[in-house]
Amino acid sequence: MPTITRHRRRWAALAVLLAAEAMNLLDATIVQVAGPAIHAALPGPPADVPWFSAAYTLPFAAFLITGGRLGDILGRARVFRIGVAGFVLASLGCAAAPDAGLLIGARAVQGAAAALIIPQTIGLIRALFDGDERAKALGTIGPVMGLSAVTGPLLGGLLTQSVSWRAAFLVNVPAGLAVLAAARLLREDRADTRPRLDLVGTALVVAGAGLLVYPLIDPAGTNWGLLAAGLALLVVFGFQQRRAAAPLVEPSLFANRGFPAALAGSLLFFAVMTGLMQVVPMQLQLGLGADVRTAGLTLLPLSAGLAVSSYVAGARLVPKFGARVMFAGLALLTAGILAALAAGAGAYPWALALCGLGMGTFTVPFFSAALDRVRPAETGSAAGLLNAVQQLGGTLGVALLGGLYLGTGTAAAALGVGAVLAVAAAVAVVPLTGRRGPGGGASGPGRRPGRLSSRRGR
């Protein structure tokens, strides 16, 4: 019987998976830049602008783990194709939306479709490759994500400025159709033991996160009743997970303090990162009257810094200094935010480059240290939960920092809170620099992280 690596078109199939990953990240960054231009074309309250992003990331976060389990049950290649088809149709809906409300609804469908696509990538790569080839295949994810992060803001600015904001969504259609046509190259794969879906847990997460995010975006004032209801539902979710027959969250992950610390650090860091990339284009376009191309170019140093520092951290810094590199990354991020706060919009290019260097320097050691603290059997659940919390953190960052900007009319409050959250993230991840939990050993200087954990931090 031929081995997995004998699959004749496995590298072409890998390109299909990477194209889908890139399509997801490009869509998120393009809309961050194009949001104010969309608001100008589809008049409505200013709070619509952060919702153009949050409506995508919120269902993405809430359905990510369920999407992975659907792949285990129905087949990962099949669910991947369903997700891509849904993404294409939702992109058409976004491009044709006659008003902001329908656009926000179509963005939510896009996010749910992305939650079907992204969790299948690792499982399908494992079905296509083994041995050294598998490590090489997994190692391609990081560079593709870095390139997408650099390209997204620039592409968003150029498309919106030269054609229309609708082109920022229409670009997904030919790309998605090409991925869908080439998806026949994928080898079908599903779990040996089919898990059950936790529909009650999923509903609690969706409702709780939605009630938490909605009032944060409202610039007229925070609705504490909705915030309290959202927090209460998330507390109920925690108790429900202890009794669920097939919980979304693996309870054993919380047996050691390292993984909860990783979740807190992920939530705080990605709130800063995504919120910052939302506030800067909003201030440039809504506050200073800059065009969308200028806003996209202003974000380019941040994306470039992130891509470069991710490579340097993975290749040089983490093998030598271990998890402590996280603190250097957060220090650079905080310094960049404070520089932008002190010097104003004129300093954004170099201040954002400093932020980007910090982001890339942090993410590689962070994901490595986080996944080093889980048992091999828990890796899939831990990676899925980290990705979900990453998306939830991004949603909260867009809501909180974007809401602060809209409420005050200046970026100062948003940047100040962003700096505080970066410092809080540094405090949260301190347990990750200590001894490992279940797996034994230490995550310290000289210990080289596994390839998957260092590359998957996106």
Side-chain angles (χ1 to χ4, degrees), residues 22-194:
M23 188 170 63
N24 164 61
L25 186 56
L26 281 171
D27 187 78
T29 53
I30 283 175
V31 175
Q32 284 176 332
V33 173
I38 298 173
H39 171 64
L42 301 177
D48 286 345
V49 179
W51 270 118
F52 297 148
S53 293
Y56 179 87
T57 55
L58 184 58
F60 186 20
F63 292 116
L64 200 57
I65 297 176
T66 300
R69 290 194 175 171
L70 283 172
D72 292 337
I73 296 168
L74 301 176
R76 296 185 177 99
R78 177 186 297 175
V79 173
F80 178 87
R81 290 192 293 268
I82 293 171
V84 173
F87 194 88
V88 170
L89 292 174
S91 297
L92 282 171
C94 290
D99 58 58
L102 289 175
L103 174 58
I104 290 170
R107 286 288 284 163
V109 176
Q110 265 193 321
L116 296 179
I117 299 169
I118 301 304
Q120 317 311 328
T121 303
I122 296 296
L124 289 170
I125 288 176
R126 290 180 178 275
L128 289 165
F129 299 92
D130 63 3
D132 290 340
E133 281 197 344
R134 179 181 291 171
K136 292 177 182 178
L138 290 169
T140 61
I141 295 174
V144 169
M145 295 300 98
L147 181 61
S148 300
V150 171
T151 306
L154 183 60
L155 183 61
L158 291 175
L159 283 174
T160 305
Q161 183 82 9
S162 304
V163 187
S164 164
W165 66 265
R166 299 183 188 274
F169 296 108
L170 285 174
V171 73
N172 293 324
V173 176
L177 290 175
V179 169
L180 201 57
R184 66 181 184 275
L185 297 171
L186 300 174
R187 181 193 294 273
E188 188 54 277
D189 182 56
R190 56 172 53 88
D192 295 332
T193 302
R194 297 188 181 185

Side-chain angles (χ1 to χ4, degrees), residues 203-209 211 227-239:
L204 287 170
V205 167
V206 172
L211 289 172
L227 278 173
L231 289 171
L233 283 177
L234 293 177
V235 170
V236 171
F237 168 73
F239 285 107

Side-chain angles (χ1 to χ4, degrees), residues 215-300:
L216 293 176
I217 293 181
D218 181 11
T222 301
N223 188 319
W224 295 105
L226 290 180
L227 278 173
L231 289 171
L233 283 177
L234 293 177
V235 170
V236 171
F237 168 73
F239 285 107
Q240 183 265 346
Q241 290 295 284
R242 294 184 177 184
R243 294 175 170 82
L248 283 176
V249 178
E250 181 62 47
S252 63
L253 290 172
F254 297 88
N256 179 273
R257 65 173 184 157
F259 192 73
L263 295 180
S266 180
L267 187 79
L268 293 165
F269 171 78
F270 285 101
V272 179
M273 176 177 172
T274 313
L276 186 65
M277 295 182 73
Q278 179 71 50
V279 167
V280 168
M282 286 173 63
Q283 187 200 14
L284 290 173
Q285 295 176 74
L286 297 179
L288 302 178
D291 59 43
V292 66
R293 181 170 55 187
T294 299
L297 289 172
T298 302
L299 282 181
L300 194 58

